[in-house]
Amino acid sequence: MGIAELLKIVEKAKEKNINLIKFKGETLAVDASCFIYKGLYSQSADDLMGKKSTKCLDYILKTVKIIVNAGIHAVFVFDGQMLPSKKVTNDKRIADREERRKEAIALLKMGNKEEALKKFRGSYSISKECQAECIEVLSGIKGVDVIVAPYEADAELTFLVNSGLAYAAITLDSDLLAFGCMRVIYNLNVDSAMCEVIQFPNIRSCFSQRLQSSFNSELLRYMCILRGCDYFGGLKGMAFKNAEKFFSIISDRNPKTFIRHIKSVTKINVPNIEIFVNEFIRANNTFLYQIIFDPRDGCQKPLNPYPEDLIKEFGSQNSIVDSLESDSFFWYAGKIYPPDIARLLAVGNQFEEILKNNIRFKIPQNVSFKSIWKYLTGGRSPLRIKREPSTCSLSQSLPRKRRNSSNIAEESEIISSKRCLMSNTQVFGQDDSSKENNKLTNSEGNTIYDKQQHLKIELISQNKQKSPLNELQRVNSNSKVRKIIIRESKYFKSTSENVETKLFKEDVSSSILYNRITAKPNFTRSQERR
């Protein structure tokens, strides 16, 4: 799995000892297969002896927990169907696994349990049942999305990161660097939450000064193909150091041209150049145009747009897709399915089961605003408190001139009350069950406040100043009240005992506690004299 020696070559580009909490609030795409294999490794002893075990699933849940607890939204990406371009590699791996399994059984019968366990661990493969069980469990966890790639998870992970749907990808596979994934997290420790991060631009520093000026994702991909990858066996004897030396001398980046100069520069023989060139180009196209699933429109598409020469030849992208489906071009990079089938495959259903209309998994509904499925389901957006526009005009709130002292108290009470109730406020826990239109009057019969709901207002602050609002605090102690919190207008504030007000330029707000009065208060003359 992965490209040999690549992670050693880019060691200098790694940011080490990074805590996962650094990515709080981000979305991370997770290579599910890597952690499933680690989980299977932990229960290999039980499997070898034929015992049932849940250690694999426990390890997956432990991984999920450490990611979600760090405040990260996780997208677990699973492998899909077998990629045609990888058929030779997959067939060889299947044969090797079967051979190791047979050797493990033979060693176990001989009583050599330790050697049998080593062989048995090398025979693991993720079955459809194991994958379906993991998908079912992960789909029910809050803060976790699950998506199944049309073919390889590496291409899907790269797409999610490079398209901005995820910030980085968590994996153990070096292939993501060959795909050109911009940010990759390696060696995640599920106990300490520590990891290593490689940002693609930093890989430039791992090569010679001469190569740094022309370094890009294409150059790294060419070096990986020559070294050997899952889609092409590579050139025997071509290590990364040889490839680095070769591309430092040869500036031509056309495979049909530079491959013919390999022998003259590196002294490495290239057998049958024509076949080698065709296989090299096919591997390169598999990296570039492998089919992925885009959750934004629910369709399958190539990882990168098709080349312009093909677009000119066929006239449109749709014609290219038709040719792909008829196995004319890039058939080895995957087939594009219709959107309705593509979406069912992406959530974890098997193609054979879809044809039988046996649908086990459906597209999630009522997802959060961070979910990658929000584009297809109209996911919820984050809750925001919406403020109503102020209905209080300056002419109503600001007294033009001072009145007689005998009328100031009553008028200022009305102004202050309106200012609190009619300004830009947010009320929490208010009960609208009472809608009677009563008047609050003093002992002389003058109206202090006329409102559908009667409120008792108290100014809460460390330095309580005397205010006409205090008159409204003198209510009957037997009145049934309920406390509610509101916010005063940010534009107005009482500035003195004589109730002069002015417009503040700063954003001034204060918390006010007021009570709803359900029984009509009675003011006494002694209270009024105060």
Side-chain angles (χ1 to χ4, degrees):
M1 182 174 65
I3 298 169
E5 299 179 359
L6 178 56
L7 291 181
K8 293 182 180 179
I9 294 297
V10 299
E11 183 72 21
K12 189 177 178 181
K14 291 181 180 179
E15 301 174 30
K16 299 184 178 182
N17 298 322
I18 303 297
N19 195 298
L20 205 60
I21 197 68
K22 179 181 179 180
F23 306 104
K24 182 179 181 180
E26 301 287 356
T27 296
L28 298 183
V30 184
D31 190 347
S33 298
C34 293
F35 294 95
I36 292 177
Y37 274 117
K38 294 186 76 171
L40 291 173
Y41 185 90
S42 65
Q43 71 176 35
S44 56
D46 293 334
D47 290 342
L48 179 62
M49 303 305 296
K51 299 179 181 179
K52 291 185 178 181
S53 176
T54 61
K55 291 181 180 179
C56 177
L57 191 57
D58 293 341
Y59 185 84
I60 296 295
L61 294 176
K62 185 177 181 180
T63 304
V64 174
K65 183 178 179 181
I66 198 170
I67 295 174
V68 174
N69 285 352
I72 298 169
H73 185 83
V75 181
F76 277 78
V77 183
F78 289 81
D79 288 310
Q81 302 181 68
M82 291 289 186
L83 186 68
S85 186
K86 201 176 176 180
K87 185 178 185 304
V88 175
T89 302
N90 286 333
D91 290 345
K92 185 177 183 302
R93 288 178 179 175
I94 292 172
D96 290 343
R97 287 167 181 164
E98 185 62 27
E99 184 65 25
R100 293 192 191 102
R101 183 178 292 273
K102 291 179 180 179
E103 292 177 0
I105 294 174
L107 289 169
L108 184 62
K109 290 180 179 179
M110 295 170 58
N112 193 344
K113 185 177 178 180
E114 184 176 351
E115 290 297 325
L117 186 58
K118 291 180 180 179
K119 291 289 184 180
F120 185 75
R121 285 171 175 169
S123 67
Y124 267 124
S125 62
I126 301 175
S127 63
K128 293 181 180 179
E129 294 76 15
C130 177
Q131 178 171 307
E133 183 181 4
C134 292
I135 291 174
E136 187 171 7
V137 172
L138 292 174
S139 298
I141 300 177
K142 184 178 180 181
V144 175
D145 284 334
V146 174
I147 185 171
V148 179
Y151 293 95
E152 289 201 296
D154 298 334
E156 188 71 29
L157 289 163
T158 302
F159 170 76
L160 292 175
V161 174
N162 291 0
S163 64
L165 293 173
Y167 178 76
I170 303 177
T171 186
L172 299 173
D173 198 341
S174 59
D175 283 344
L176 266 71
L177 300 179
F179 275 98
C181 188
M182 293 304 296
R183 284 173 293 274
V184 187
I185 298 174
Y186 287 105
N187 300 327
L188 173 62
N189 189 320
V190 297
D191 295 316
S192 63
M194 302 302 291
C195 60
E196 299 174 347
V197 182
I198 295 180
Q199 300 196 46
F200 195 88
N202 295 339
I203 299 177
R204 182 190 307 270
S205 61
C206 300
F207 297 97
S208 63
Q209 290 288 339
R210 187 171 182 178
L211 201 61
Q212 287 182 16
S213 59
S214 60
F215 180 83
N216 54 23
S217 60
E218 180 186 64
L219 180 58
L220 181 63
R221 185 171 64 251
Y222 286 168
M223 295 173 69
C224 291
I225 295 173
L226 287 176
R227 175 62 182 85
C229 61
D230 289 342
Y231 314 134
F232 180 53
L235 185 60
K236 187 177 181 180
M238 179 64 77
F240 275 103
K241 290 298 181 182
N242 294 334
E244 180 182 357
K245 178 182 177 181
F246 173 73
F247 285 111
S248 298
I249 298 173
I250 302 298
S251 59
D252 195 329
R253 295 294 182 263
N254 186 345
K256 294 181 179 180
T257 305
F258 69 69
I259 288 177
R260 301 182 184 277
H261 298 289
I262 291 178
K263 185 176 181 179
S264 61
V265 175
T266 64
K267 309 302 180 183
I268 298 176
N269 185 38
V270 181
N272 202 330
I273 291 182
E274 295 299 329
I275 296 178
F276 188 91
V277 169
N278 291 334
E279 291 182 350
F280 183 97
I281 293 175
R282 191 166 102 166
N284 186 55
N285 288 338
T286 304
F287 277 113
L288 288 174
Y289 309 119
Q290 186 173 153
I291 302 303
I292 54 88
F293 179 80
D294 189 345
R296 295 173 297 186
D297 54 17
C299 297
Q300 292 181 353
K301 59 181 66 173
L303 176 59
N304 296 286
Y306 291 118
E308 293 184 2
D309 55 346
L310 280 182
I311 295 177
K312 291 179 181 178
E313 181 179 350
F314 288 94
S316 67
Q317 288 277 355
N318 292 333
S319 299
I320 297 177
V321 172
D322 293 338
S323 297
L324 283 168
E325 293 179 349
S326 62
D327 295 345
S328 297
F329 289 93
F330 304 150
W331 58 269
Y332 44 81
K335 179 181 179 180
I336 295 178
Y337 286 92
D340 53 346
I341 296 179
R343 296 175 186 182
L344 292 174
L345 290 172
V347 293
N349 297 289
Q350 298 295 326
F351 182 72
E352 297 78 8
E353 299 299 322
I354 294 175
L355 296 179
K356 298 176 183 178
N357 200 26
N358 185 13
I359 309 302
R360 180 175 180 180
F361 303 104
K362 297 182 180 180
I363 295 178
Q365 302 295 324
N366 299 323
V367 296
S368 70
F369 71 98
K370 284 190 175 182
S371 173
I372 61 172
W373 299 109
K374 64 183 178 182
Y375 303 98
L376 298 180
T377 61
R380 297 173 296 181
S381 59
L383 295 177
R384 292 183 175 88
I385 297 175
K386 186 176 181 180
R387 294 181 177 272
E388 298 295 335
S390 176
T391 58
C392 180
S393 64
L394 294 179
S395 60
Q396 291 175 322
S397 301
L398 293 176
R400 297 286 182 178
K401 59 182 180 179
R402 295 181 61 85
R403 308 291 179 85
N404 295 333
S405 58
S406 60
N407 298 329
I408 287 179
E410 294 180 2
E411 293 183 1
S412 60
E413 287 170 356
I414 299 174
I415 293 172
S416 300
S417 300
K418 286 184 177 181
R419 189 171 297 152
C420 295
L421 296 171
M422 301 177 65
S423 62
N424 188 11
T425 62
Q426 177 66 37
V427 181
F428 298 92
Q430 186 173 352
D431 184 8
D432 296 330
S433 59
S434 177
K435 296 185 178 180
E436 297 180 0
N437 187 16
N438 299 322
K439 293 183 178 181
L440 183 63
T441 60
N442 57 17
S443 58
E444 296 179 357
N446 296 324
T447 300
I448 296 178
Y449 175 62
D450 186 359
K451 186 70 178 176
Q452 181 180 352
Q453 298 173 344
H454 303 293
L455 305 173
K456 172 190 172 183
I457 304 176
E458 294 178 344
L459 181 64
I460 299 179
S461 63
Q462 293 181 352
N463 300 321
K464 290 187 177 181
Q465 299 180 357
K466 292 183 179 181
S467 169
L469 294 176
N470 293 336
E471 287 292 333
L472 294 178
Q473 298 177 15
R474 304 190 184 100
V475 296
N476 192 340
S477 59
N478 295 327
S479 300
K480 297 180 180 179
V481 298
R482 191 161 67 87
K483 297 181 179 180
I484 307 171
I485 300 297
I486 68 169
R487 296 184 64 189
E488 188 184 6
S489 169
K490 63 181 180 180
Y491 298 110
F492 303 103
K493 180 180 179 182
S494 178
T495 58
S496 64
E497 295 183 13
N498 55 12
V499 203
E500 288 185 355
T501 58
K502 68 177 182 178
L503 183 63
F504 277 78
K505 294 182 179 179
E506 299 180 356
D507 184 2
V508 181
S509 62
S510 59
S511 297
I512 295 179
L513 176 68
Y514 72 92
N515 302 324
R516 173 172 296 137
I517 303 172
T518 57
K520 187 174 181 180
N522 296 322
F523 284 90
T524 63
R525 292 186 179 277
S526 60
Q527 289 174 330
E528 186 182 3
R529 292 192 190 97
R530 296 178 190 174

